[in-house]
Amino acid sequence: MEKIYKKNQLIKNHYDTSINLKIKDYEYHRWFSSINNYLLFNDTYKAINRELTNLKYSSVIEVGAGSGIWSKFLFLNSSDLQLYDVDISKEMINLHKKYFPRSNSVEYINEDFTLLDLNKFEKKIDLFYSIRCIEYIENFNKLFENINFALKDSGRGLIITKKAPLLRKTKIHTTNNGMVNLKKSISDNGMEIEKIRPVSYQFPVPYLRNLTFLTRFTNFSLKLIFKDKITWFNYLFLETYLVLFKKNAN
Ligand SMILES: C[S@@+](CC[C@H](N)C(=O)[O-])C[C@H]1O[C@@H](n2cnc3c(N)ncnc32)[C@H](O)[C@@H]1O
């Protein structure tokens, strides 16, 4: 019998029970309800667009698309896209359907990606895409094993994920997987990292991070100084980062 990952199930329950009941407009709440949220949206938007314009793809698996705010940018950069939205939460898939135009170009799969039967995708996918989701996934190695299985030779992966916050334990994120583990899981599974770069910074002290001017100042100055590099120093302030990787041809 397949192992059920408890943490992944907790996340499923969280999204299935909290989203539509508590929040009327998820995208507004998540990305536009405060200046800090908007800055985060803007940083994420710029980072994604910068990569997508350089990639060629027509078949994409997006894991944890949520409402689909980042799915739209996939379509802007490809005219013949087939998108598979794999989401563990039924409610999040319903949300995607609510925000996103009905189209034959999107197929919904309500499943934990690490438990999904991927036979129909074997070596068929140009791009694995996941924004602000993999920090929830418990079984990291299985995640990258599955990605490698589904990607065509020389297929790409584009991920934006969260770094574990300093001085605070998160309840549902499994960010303890960490950047070191992420790099190892990618290379252990026959893929190679092309880029890792910062997307957004935050002030790493609880409560102070909510002060808009501190977040703005931290973001502005660290971007100016470190540009696309991640060093031990700016790593302390990092909130999210982008990873672009490639499957090696067998
Ligand atoms: C924070 S939301 C991100 C949504 C969207 N990508 C965004 O940035 O607005 C995380 C999403 O990942 C999904 N998710 C978490 N773990 C998953 C798993 N193991 N398999 C598939 N989806 C998962 C959740 O249901 C949720 O829709």
Side-chain angles (χ1 to χ4, degrees), residues 196-250:
I196 291 203
R197 63 164 59 126
V199 172
S200 64
Y201 295 102
Q202 65 181 0
F203 199 73
V205 179
Y207 304 110
L208 289 184
R209 88 179 88 238
N210 298 332
L211 298 175
T212 306
F213 78 92
L214 257 188
T215 306
R216 286 192 96 146
F217 177 74
T218 310
N219 236 329
F220 177 78
S221 43
L222 292 177
K223 274 184 193 144
L224 195 71
I225 299 166
F226 291 98
K227 301 198 164 59
D228 288 340
K229 268 204 227 98
I230 299 178
T231 68
W232 70 267
F233 182 75
N234 61 337
Y235 186 75
L236 297 175
F237 295 81
L238 203 60
E239 182 177 16
T240 57
Y241 59 97
L242 174 147
V243 189
L244 181 72
F245 55 94
K246 186 175 182 178
K247 175 171 173 171
N248 297 321
N250 290 324

Side-chain angles (χ1 to χ4, degrees), residues 5-237:
Y5 291 92
K6 276 202 197 122
K7 193 103 194 181
N8 294 3
Q9 285 307 305
L10 278 180
I11 275 106
K12 173 182 163 52
N13 294 341
H14 165 75
Y15 279 106
D16 274 348
T17 52
S18 70
I19 295 309
N20 285 341
L21 290 178
K22 294 196 188 129
I23 303 164
K24 214 164 179 148
D25 184 345
Y26 176 82
E27 290 196 348
Y28 171 78
H29 175 83
R30 183 161 160 77
W31 298 107
F32 305 109
S33 56
S34 69
I35 295 180
N36 280 352
N37 284 354
Y38 174 71
L39 287 175
L40 192 57
F41 169 82
N42 206 27
D43 286 334
T44 312
Y45 166 79
K46 284 187 188 147
I48 290 174
N49 257 354
R50 189 170 156 191
E51 298 308 329
L52 287 184
T53 44
N54 295 320
L55 294 175
K56 287 223 171 320
Y57 52 85
S58 55
S59 52
V60 177
I61 290 183
E62 180 172 4
V63 170
S67 65
I69 193 159
W70 310 117
S71 314
K72 289 177 200 147
F73 300 106
L74 288 168
F75 283 90
L76 287 180
N77 287 286
S78 170
S79 52
D80 61 342
L81 175 60
Q82 181 59 47
L83 175 66
Y84 302 94
D85 170 16
V86 183
D87 202 302
I88 197 168
S89 157
K90 181 89 187 120
E91 280 303 307
M92 292 307 265
I93 284 190
N94 288 340
L95 209 56
H96 200 283
K97 290 179 179 166
K98 185 165 122 188
Y99 280 100
F100 213 77
R102 286 290 166 124
S103 152
N104 292 336
S105 305
V106 186
E107 187 178 318
Y108 293 100
I109 303 171
N110 179 206
E111 179 63 277
D112 176 346
F113 178 70
T114 62
L115 300 180
L116 185 64
D117 176 356
L118 283 163
N119 281 333
K120 82 166 187 173
F121 295 114
E122 185 175 1
K123 287 191 170 197
K124 299 252 165 49
I125 296 298
D126 296 312
L127 178 67
F128 173 87
Y129 182 69
S130 187
I131 311 299
R132 301 285 302 267
C133 165
I134 67 157
E135 57 268 28
Y136 292 98
I137 295 182
E138 184 179 353
N139 34 338
F140 233 39
N141 197 51
K142 185 68 181 155
L143 165 70
F144 286 99
E145 189 186 311
N146 281 0
I147 296 172
N148 185 52
F149 183 84
L151 284 180
K152 290 178 182 167
D153 289 344
S154 305
R156 297 301 223 307
L158 177 59
I159 284 173
I160 291 183
T161 186
K162 242 183 136 143
K163 193 205 80 180
L166 296 177
L167 311 172
R168 182 169 62 113
K169 275 229 171 295
T170 52
K171 280 194 214 104
I172 56 169
H173 290 151
T174 53
T175 25
N176 50 356
N177 282 324
M179 194 188 274
V180 173
N181 254 331
L182 181 137
K183 288 181 179 168
K184 186 172 180 315
S185 303
I186 291 177
S187 66
D188 284 356
N189 285 290
M191 297 176 288
E192 133 194 15
I193 293 181
E194 297 185 298
K195 288 175 194 168
I196 291 203
R197 63 164 59 126
V199 172
S200 64
Y201 295 102
Q202 65 181 0
F203 199 73
V205 179
Y207 304 110
L208 289 184
R209 88 179 88 238
N210 298 332
L211 298 175
T212 306
F213 78 92
L214 257 188
T215 306
R216 286 192 96 146
F217 177 74
T218 310
N219 236 329
F220 177 78
S221 43
L222 292 177
K223 274 184 193 144
L224 195 71
I225 299 166
F226 291 98
K227 301 198 164 59
D228 288 340
K229 268 204 227 98
I230 299 178
T231 68
W232 70 267
F233 182 75
N234 61 337
Y235 186 75
L236 297 175
F237 295 81

